[in-house]
Amino acid sequence: MTPRHVLVAYGSKNGSTAEIAQWIGEALRERNLETDVLPADEVDDLAPYDAVVLGSGLYAGHWRREATRLARRRRRQLRRLPVWLFSSGPLDLSADEHDIPPAPRVARIAAHLDAREHITFGGSLTDHAQGFIARQLLQQGKGGDFRNRERIRRWAHTVADELVTAPLSI
Ligand SMILES: Cc1cc2nc3c(=O)[nH]c(=O)nc-3n(C[C@H](O)[C@H](O)[C@H](O)COP(=O)(O)O)c2cc1C
């Protein structure tokens, strides 16, 4: 059987969501899925892909523009593919303790794309983060890395499992 080809696309300002996307890519490859991991603004063509995982870091309740733009630009193609979404943001352990629903704007993207699922992962804010508010949050002691690599890996495995049992889009 031809291996299924998955795109993991992401929006990231300070790099932590980019790393989550890489971890998702590794976990999908562990399940023998051919996987490309790309910044959302470098995605040209969705034709080679059988499924898409799209995610972004959250900023004031919004995804990064490159991720929302990809969702809008490629809406028609994405609606025909199995699509999973993730957000990364909370700077505490809340994302591990209970399901955090998508921010309203992200919920709208999920509806527009007819996404299979959305999940929220903990975020990360560390000393190299750019921006005035980021520095303020760090000064207030609100930084830290709240990403749970094992949870991310487990979720990616559920995506892979669903994908291999899902019918391919035509
Ligand atoms: C200015 C600013 C606004 C943020 N807004 C949110 C938010 O609305 N919701 C949330 O859960 N996290 C929020 N965060 C936390 C970020 O989403 C978190 O640091 C994330 O991991 C950043 O992803 P990135 O490193 O890929 O850019 C915010 C952080 C900053 C610096």
Side-chain angles (χ1 to χ4, degrees):
M1 193 181 103
T2 315
R4 298 189 184 216
H5 197 173
V6 185
L7 171 68
V8 182
Y10 62 86
S12 178
K13 181 177 182 185
N14 286 308
S16 65
T17 311
E19 212 170 10
I20 290 175
Q22 295 294 345
W23 296 341
I24 292 171
E26 281 172 30
L28 295 175
R29 288 184 204 110
E30 284 169 0
R31 293 292 160 101
N32 297 319
L33 291 164
E34 189 184 342
T35 305
D36 295 338
V37 180
L38 288 174
D41 54 2
E42 289 181 18
V43 176
D44 279 334
D45 187 9
L46 293 176
Y49 300 109
D50 300 311
V52 175
V53 178
L54 174 62
S56 175
L58 286 168
Y59 285 85
H62 294 252
W63 269 9
R64 297 273 304 159
R65 185 173 299 173
E66 60 269 31
T68 52
R69 205 180 275 161
L70 175 62
R72 203 173 44 236
R73 206 163 36 94
R74 298 289 179 196
R75 177 180 166 186
R76 213 173 290 169
Q77 277 174 295
L78 286 164
R79 281 182 65 87
R80 294 169 50 128
L81 293 170
V83 170
W84 283 264
L85 306 180
F86 70 94
S87 301
S88 70
L91 296 172
D92 55 30
L93 294 172
S94 55
D96 281 353
E97 289 164 356
H98 54 89
D99 285 344
I100 298 182
R105 294 289 184 103
V106 180
R108 215 177 305 162
I109 293 170
H112 283 163
L113 300 185
D114 201 13
R116 299 228 170 166
E117 191 187 347
H118 169 277
I119 189 166
T120 302
F121 297 125
S124 175
L125 187 68
T126 52
D127 285 344
H128 71 276
Q130 291 173 14
F132 178 71
I133 296 173
R135 283 195 300 279
Q136 277 189 326
L137 289 169
L138 286 166
Q139 271 170 17
Q140 292 162 12
K142 292 181 179 157
D145 187 348
F146 298 92
R147 296 170 300 166
N148 179 337
R149 189 167 179 170
E150 192 44 42
R151 178 167 174 251
I152 293 163
R153 181 167 174 260
R154 278 200 309 273
W155 179 75
H157 284 165
T158 66
V159 169
D161 293 345
E162 261 194 64
L163 192 54
V164 293
T165 52
L168 277 175
S169 62
I170 318 156

